[in-house]
Amino acid sequence: MRMFSRKIASVAVAAAIGGMATGAVAGGFAIGTQSGSGTGNAFAGGAAAADDASVAWFNPAAMTLIPGKQVAGALHVVDPSFKFQNTTSTATGVAGANADGGDGGDLALIPNGFFTWALNPKWSIGLALNAPFGLTTEYDPGWRGRFTAIKSEVKAVNINPSVAYKVSDTVSIGGGLNVQKIDAELTASAGPAGTTKLEADDMGFGFNVGALFQVTPSTRIGAHYRSKIKYELEGTIAFSAAAPGNGDVRADLDVPASFSVSALSALNPQWEVMAEITWTGWGDLKRLDVIRTTTAATLGATLPGAAGSTITSLVFNWDDTWRYSIGANYKLSPQTKLRFGVAFDETPTNDVDRTARLPDQDRKWVALGIQWKPSKTGILDVGYAHEFIKDANINNVSPIGTVVGKFESKVDILSVQYSMSF
């Protein structure tokens, strides 16, 4: 899992379900698109809303508001762009290569799946299948920052069964278990040793708990906590032009905990408003050391071969973050609802330690969507969001000089979800 560790640490990850990769669409390397119905509200009010079975992810306590059985499936088309703009770099690109790396982002698909079942008026169970973390970036192999990053890809799949109990007419509680599998690949130039490739994987376990309060007939508040997940990553490192340096590696990584508080209120039969504040504990990610577990050839002073030696250390010095979002729904007719939302998503990164693996910065979301009920049992949601990302400065030192400049980035998201009750 060493590859994953380095990659997640250095890039912070590309994730997806079933091998589909994507650019991160939230702060750090979190994937923010966890339901099709939430996209149109910029995911405001997720822990208090109960539109469909996706509540199994956002707050299992809210499953008590979903009658009968329901299944929901969503697909998100994500189009991220990460373009480096050189300012005063001394590192140069290989002749004939795009010196600034081209666009590090690429079109990707992210699926989600959810199921809820009201066993009786008190108890409900549910299941969420999704990709909560991830990022893929890939630059021209000969670009000026090739010693820092060429390709960074991580695929994460999370399975989250849950249960909810209706304590009273105004209070529900819920909780679940999380089984999360991550695979990763990280490549970079190693000079005379060719291209280095780190590959790793691991499985981790966590939990989530939530509560829902109906404070008035028209207003409810939800709270949801998701635990950190610890990984003991294991994998391999390989050099394309120096096979004696190949070997096994390991690294330890914690994926952060998060806590959300949401509110949703029906102002009248047509209008609903919602808001959410989410804390994410990225501050635990300060440094990641990739350590050899088998002995290999020493490839120079910076690539030791002894078992137990640190082959690379990735410095993050990240901070905890906050995400703020507000949204509104307008009921156009009994079958049609319009959605609106905006959000501000802080980055955990900083101008000192940021690298091209994850050129993240603060994000502002603008979103809209529409819900249509074609039948009594079916619901179709379509949502669109654009992320305005602040320019991300980098100042990295590599064996061939400095890489100094900024990344101009943006993300477009189109989501489609269909829910069916039975």
Side-chain angles (χ1 to χ4, degrees):
M1 186 114 226
R2 87 140 147 122
M3 166 73 186
F4 166 67
S5 67
R6 162 152 182 176
K7 175 176 202 155
I8 203 169
S10 63
V11 124
V13 256
I17 291 179
M20 298 181 181
T22 180
V25 290
F29 52 88
I31 298 294
T33 51
Q34 298 304 330
S35 78
S37 55
T39 300
N41 294 128
F43 296 95
D51 280 344
D52 51 62
S54 64
V55 297
W57 170 259
F58 291 103
N59 183 0
M63 294 191 301
T64 59
L65 299 181
I66 307 295
K69 301 173 185 176
Q70 187 177 109
V71 61
L75 182 65
H76 311 272
V77 181
V78 180
D79 187 15
S81 177
F82 306 106
K83 293 182 178 179
F84 179 70
Q85 303 295 320
N86 180 51
T87 54
T88 60
S89 301
T90 60
T92 59
V94 174
N98 186 330
D100 290 338
D103 192 338
D106 196 10
L107 191 72
L109 303 177
I110 308 173
N112 318 128
F114 311 96
F115 172 73
T116 59
W117 182 4
L119 301 176
N120 57 50
K122 289 287 189 180
W123 289 94
S124 296
I125 58 174
L127 180 69
L129 174 63
N130 59 343
F133 298 100
L135 169 131
T136 296
T137 54
E138 185 169 6
Y139 306 98
D140 191 298
W143 84 295
R144 67 178 80 248
R146 61 193 179 277
F147 282 84
T148 300
I150 297 176
K151 181 181 179 181
S152 304
E153 183 180 39
V154 173
K155 300 174 183 178
V157 178
N158 190 81
I159 301 175
N160 183 188
S162 55
V163 62
Y165 177 69
K166 189 173 183 179
V167 179
S168 68
D169 290 340
T170 59
V171 179
S172 295
I173 57 175
L177 299 175
N178 291 270
V179 180
Q180 195 170 115
K181 176 68 163 56
I182 295 182
D183 297 90
E185 176 185 334
L186 176 67
T187 69
S189 175
T195 299
T196 179
K197 177 188 287 190
L198 284 164
E199 292 181 302
D201 62 68
D202 193 24
M203 183 174 290
F205 303 90
F207 68 91
N208 60 299
V209 293
L212 186 69
F213 307 93
Q214 192 75 43
V215 294
T216 73
S218 60
T219 302
R220 57 182 177 264
I221 295 175
H224 183 235
Y225 173 81
R226 194 168 286 280
S227 74
K228 72 167 59 176
I229 296 179
K230 295 179 177 291
Y231 294 100
E232 296 179 357
L233 313 176
E234 296 181 349
T236 60
I237 186 169
F239 299 88
S240 62
N246 299 350
D248 297 334
V249 295
R250 67 171 179 83
D252 295 330
L253 174 73
D254 291 349
V255 169
S258 64
F259 179 69
S260 299
V261 177
S262 300
L264 182 145
S265 183
L267 302 180
N268 55 48
Q270 280 74 45
W271 283 99
E272 293 177 325
V273 293
M274 65 281 298
E276 181 169 290
I277 299 176
T278 297
W279 164 88
T280 303
W282 289 115
D284 289 342
L285 186 54
K286 299 299 185 185
R287 179 187 183 94
L288 188 145
D289 296 323
V290 180
I291 301 170
R292 284 192 182 273
T293 57
T294 56
T295 299
T298 296
L299 304 178
T302 61
L303 295 172
S309 61
T310 299
I311 195 166
T312 187
S313 294
L314 303 170
V315 178
F316 293 92
N317 290 323
W318 281 9
D319 295 318
D320 293 351
T321 62
W322 292 90
R323 186 181 193 272
Y324 311 90
S325 55
I326 57 174
N329 295 329
Y330 178 71
K331 193 173 184 180
L332 193 63
S333 71
Q335 290 79 35
T336 307
K337 181 188 293 185
L338 304 180
R339 302 182 184 275
F340 315 91
V342 295
F344 176 71
D345 203 347
E346 292 182 342
T347 182
T349 67
N350 60 77
D351 288 349
V352 175
D353 302 301
R354 183 183 297 114
T355 75
R357 291 203 179 278
L358 181 60
D360 190 43
Q361 251 292 9
D362 295 341
R363 300 161 182 248
K364 296 176 182 177
W365 291 57
V366 177
L368 54 85
I370 185 170
Q371 181 188 88
W372 177 55
K373 297 180 179 179
S375 68
K376 292 183 179 180
T377 59
I379 303 174
L380 176 66
D381 276 282
V382 178
Y384 168 78
H386 180 82
E387 296 183 25
F388 299 89
I389 305 177
K390 182 180 178 182
D391 289 349
N393 297 321
I394 66 167
N395 188 345
N396 304 153
V397 177
S398 79
I400 59 171
T402 60
V403 182
V404 183
K406 65 180 181 180
F407 276 88
E408 296 180 352
S409 306
K410 64 179 182 178
V411 180
D412 289 290
I413 304 164
L414 178 64
S415 303
V416 179
Q417 176 177 296
Y418 191 76
S419 306
M420 178 171 288
S421 301
F422 54 96

